[in-house]
Amino acid sequence: MPSWADGPARDAIIAFVERVTSGPEAVPIEERIAVFDNDGTLWTEKPMPTQLHYIVEQWRAQAEADPSLADRQPYRAAVTGDYAWLGGAIDKHYAGDDSDLQIFIGALVGVTAGMSVEDYAASVGEFYERAKHLTLGTPYGDAVYRPMIELLRYLEQHGFTVYIVSGGERDFMRPMTQQYYGIPPEHVIGSALGLAFDADSGDVRYTAGLDFLDDGPEKPVRIWSRIGRRPLLAGGNSNGDLPMLEFTRAGGGLALLIHHDDDTERGDVPYDKGAEHALAAASDRGFTVVSVKRDWSTVFPEN
């Protein structure tokens, strides 16, 4: 893991992996499960999560087609560029207030309602091909965290099977996870829009509803329902990842909490908002805190 600086976080990861893969405490290879959040853990989530960038484009197009939409949120935010309202809705969610998130979700499901899963995947794939990160100015494939990609490969080399477990929407992530992370789409667990089979066309299509939001206490539930095993290692960065980290740590696993504290202008802006509870609980609950500033010698891929 060359992009990891020598220090306690790197040492803790290596010591743990060596302990559970060799010697008397070795864990059978089929039980070596690692799970990682996506936004803020495997790639940057500021100034807004990548999926929100895509959704804002869709809302703006809808408002252009139907100007009456521009009078209400979140379409007004998309048209005017008031991204503070959008970010505020997410921050309020992490603080336990979902009043704006419900408005957000109501408009979100309208983007895909009636669309086939293949058409949505094609639309998202086209977005990834042309869109650039709003502040870095690079393709989103260059906004991944290089140290975390190295960690994924290190774990796989030691017999781990890696899954993404994100509050982000599952089918938005699937078109890029193989290319960006080397993780196949069947190993992606995320929030899900409603689906229904259209017998007339033979397609699976999205309904005008949200099936579930894979965040907070829902994460361990979805891990168990999809994998059927308690993770041996987990990585996250926010309050919404706390239950997943606790689920892992309670079984004797290693829980990594990424702390965005880098003020060196390497491109990953420092922030604690949305992670306050996780950071406050880290010491008492035995989480290994990974400091972006201290523990990563390189943040993004070098072009």
Side-chain angles (χ1 to χ4, degrees), residues 6-25:
D6 290 336
R10 185 177 187 274
D11 291 347
I13 292 168
I14 292 174
F16 178 80
V17 171
E18 290 180 349
R19 177 169 64 81
V20 300
T21 59
S22 62
E25 297 183 61

Side-chain angles (χ1 to χ4, degrees), residues 145-207:
Y145 294 133
R146 180 172 171 175
M148 296 303 290
I149 305 306
E150 293 172 357
L151 175 57
L152 300 183
R153 301 290 85 81
Y154 176 73
L155 293 172
E156 291 170 348
Q157 291 165 9
H158 287 81
F160 279 78
T161 301
V162 178
Y163 292 81
I164 294 175
V165 182
S166 175
E169 195 261 314
R170 176 194 61 211
D171 292 346
F172 181 81
M173 294 182 285
R174 281 177 168 172
M176 64 80 180
T177 58
Q178 185 76 61
Q179 178 182 354
Y180 290 7
Y181 306 140
I183 296 177
E186 61 268 25
H187 285 186
V188 176
I189 303 170
S191 298
L193 301 169
L195 295 170
F197 178 62
D198 181 351
D200 292 334
S201 65
D203 294 322
V204 173
R205 297 185 182 277
Y206 294 99
T207 65

Side-chain angles (χ1 to χ4, degrees), residues 17-270:
V17 171
E18 290 180 349
R19 177 169 64 81
V20 300
T21 59
S22 62
E25 297 183 61
V27 175
I29 195 166
E30 62 270 16
E31 297 178 14
R32 297 177 195 172
I33 302 297
V35 296
F36 290 90
D37 172 57
N38 186 38
D39 296 312
T41 299
L42 297 182
W43 69 358
T44 178
E45 65 179 348
K46 299 297 182 180
M48 68 169 68
T50 307
Q51 184 171 8
L52 186 53
H53 182 180
Y54 170 82
I55 292 168
V56 165
E57 287 189 357
Q58 307 307 308
W59 285 339
R60 188 180 297 120
Q62 288 178 324
E64 289 173 356
D66 180 2
S68 67
L69 292 175
D71 294 332
R72 66 175 190 266
Q73 296 289 20
Y75 304 98
R76 184 166 65 240
V79 171
T80 63
D82 178 20
Y83 300 141
W85 185 91
L86 300 170
I90 296 172
D91 289 340
K92 287 171 69 174
H93 163 68
Y94 283 129
D97 179 358
D98 283 347
S99 56
D100 285 346
L101 189 67
Q102 295 305 315
I103 299 172
F104 184 103
I105 290 174
L108 185 153
V109 298
V111 169
T112 56
M115 186 182 294
S116 74
V117 290
E118 288 88 359
D119 287 346
Y120 179 51
S123 174
V124 172
E126 186 273 334
F127 170 82
Y128 284 128
E129 288 179 1
R130 63 167 174 77
K132 292 187 177 181
H133 188 275
L134 294 172
T135 55
L136 297 175
T138 63
Y140 276 105
D142 292 331
V144 302
Y145 294 133
R146 180 172 171 175
M148 296 303 290
I149 305 306
E150 293 172 357
L151 175 57
L152 300 183
R153 301 290 85 81
Y154 176 73
L155 293 172
E156 291 170 348
Q157 291 165 9
H158 287 81
F160 279 78
T161 301
V162 178
Y163 292 81
I164 294 175
V165 182
S166 175
E169 195 261 314
R170 176 194 61 211
D171 292 346
F172 181 81
M173 294 182 285
R174 281 177 168 172
M176 64 80 180
T177 58
Q178 185 76 61
Q179 178 182 354
Y180 290 7
Y181 306 140
I183 296 177
E186 61 268 25
H187 285 186
V188 176
I189 303 170
S191 298
L193 301 169
L195 295 170
F197 178 62
D198 181 351
D200 292 334
S201 65
D203 294 322
V204 173
R205 297 185 182 277
Y206 294 99
T207 65
L210 181 71
D211 195 357
F212 56 82
L213 181 63
D214 186 40
D215 197 39
E218 193 68 24
K219 285 197 171 188
V221 173
R222 292 297 158 186
I223 290 170
W224 185 260
S225 66
R226 280 286 305 277
I227 306 172
R229 296 187 186 277
R230 188 188 293 263
L232 196 58
L233 186 148
N237 76 297
S238 73
N239 298 334
D241 296 318
L242 253 175
M244 178 174 74
L245 299 179
E246 290 176 337
F247 184 50
T248 302
R249 186 65 182 149
L254 180 66
L256 304 175
L257 179 65
I258 311 302
H259 183 201
H260 295 278
D261 61 348
D262 189 4
D263 59 0
T264 63
E265 298 184 354
R266 292 188 295 175
D268 190 66
V269 296

